[in-house]
Amino acid sequence: AQDLQPEAAPLAPAGPDFEPKAEEVFKAFQAYVANLGALTLDAEVAAAITADGETQEGELTLDIALQRPGNIRIKAVAEGSEATIGASGGEAYIYVPEISEYMTAPAPPELQHLVLSAAAGPLQTGATFIAELFAPQPYNQLMAEATAVRYVGEEELDGQACHRLEVTHQRIGWDMWIDVGDKPMLRRAVPNVQEWLTRQGEDSFEISMTAQV
């Protein structure tokens, strides 16, 4: 079985415009998630990208469940088609009920890469952001090319007090809301990928996350 517990790798160095409070909140989220035995994530991705006068559109719904160590299940629905992708006991699999096809292969060393296989075209942008949340060190993954991280303050979402962070990135930016308290779970994330895309377009999605210890 694959062991998803994070290695004792150093955190990415802070940038010159990283506010200490923002770093503190995000690292608390990373530490909390790293010690969870199980967690689930639901996400909806909608994208429309225009290039050379042609527009590509797509919608993707992801229902992801991670059970440490080594088990992940991703239910993906896109354009009316459904697939279940996952890994267990070192073996990855994909099942497409529409054509009754079941395929297996060795599981990748880092199971978050399976999230990327659920998306294609413009939807890859959203899937990449979601996959990085499942990395052993999501802080390193998401902040590697960040140029500024700002602590906006506390806001209430779904009746829960949350810290709001605003991240400016070389390619992508996003706002994140992380629960206040001793269980700092990600409540919502809204990436802004306009700077990541080198052509005109729109790409927006929201993420909600729940967990059980």
Side-chain angles (χ1 to χ4, degrees):
Q2 303 287 332
D3 186 356
L4 295 187
Q5 293 295 338
E7 299 177 357
L11 290 171
D17 295 318
F18 282 31
E19 294 186 3
K21 180 63 176 180
E23 282 197 283
E24 175 188 333
V25 170
F26 197 102
K27 290 178 181 178
F29 159 67
Q30 174 172 275
Y32 177 67
V33 170
N35 289 308
L36 292 173
L39 61 92
T40 63
L41 181 148
D42 298 309
E44 295 183 359
V45 181
I49 297 177
T50 300
D52 299 325
E54 296 185 1
T55 300
Q56 286 184 300
E57 296 183 345
E59 293 185 1
L60 172 68
T61 300
L62 294 174
D63 175 2
I64 306 172
L66 175 69
Q67 178 75 46
R68 291 189 174 101
N71 299 300
I72 191 170
R73 178 196 52 76
I74 306 155
K75 182 179 179 181
V77 179
E79 307 301 324
S81 298
E82 179 181 318
T84 300
I85 304 163
S88 180
E91 182 178 75
Y93 62 86
I94 180 171
Y95 173 62
V96 183
E98 189 175 5
I99 56 176
S100 300
E101 187 170 3
Y102 185 88
M103 297 172 284
T104 62
E110 297 183 351
L111 299 188
Q112 71 267 20
H113 294 313
L114 292 175
V115 177
L116 296 177
S117 66
L123 297 173
Q124 276 279 350
T125 299
T128 298
F129 180 87
I130 295 166
E132 288 177 347
L133 292 173
F134 284 87
Q137 296 282 353
Y139 180 91
N140 283 358
Q141 294 289 110
L142 292 169
M143 301 297 182
E145 297 181 357
T147 57
V149 182
R150 187 169 71 93
Y151 182 76
V152 179
E154 288 193 20
E155 297 181 359
E156 186 172 300
L157 283 180
D158 306 322
Q160 169 66 45
C162 298
H163 301 288
R164 180 177 176 182
L165 311 182
E166 183 181 89
V167 181
T168 302
H169 200 275
Q170 293 180 18
R171 297 174 301 162
I172 183 174
W174 60 88
D175 284 8
M176 305 178 73
W177 288 261
I178 296 173
D179 289 354
V180 172
D182 58 359
K183 295 181 178 181
M185 180 53 66
L186 177 66
R187 176 72 47 172
R188 184 175 299 166
V190 182
N192 174 2
V193 299
Q194 299 307 310
E195 295 183 7
W196 191 3
L197 301 171
T198 57
R199 50 191 182 273
Q200 288 185 332
E202 295 181 1
D203 193 329
S204 63
F205 57 99
E206 292 188 356
I207 300 169
S208 61
M209 197 170 185
T210 60
Q212 65 182 74
V213 180

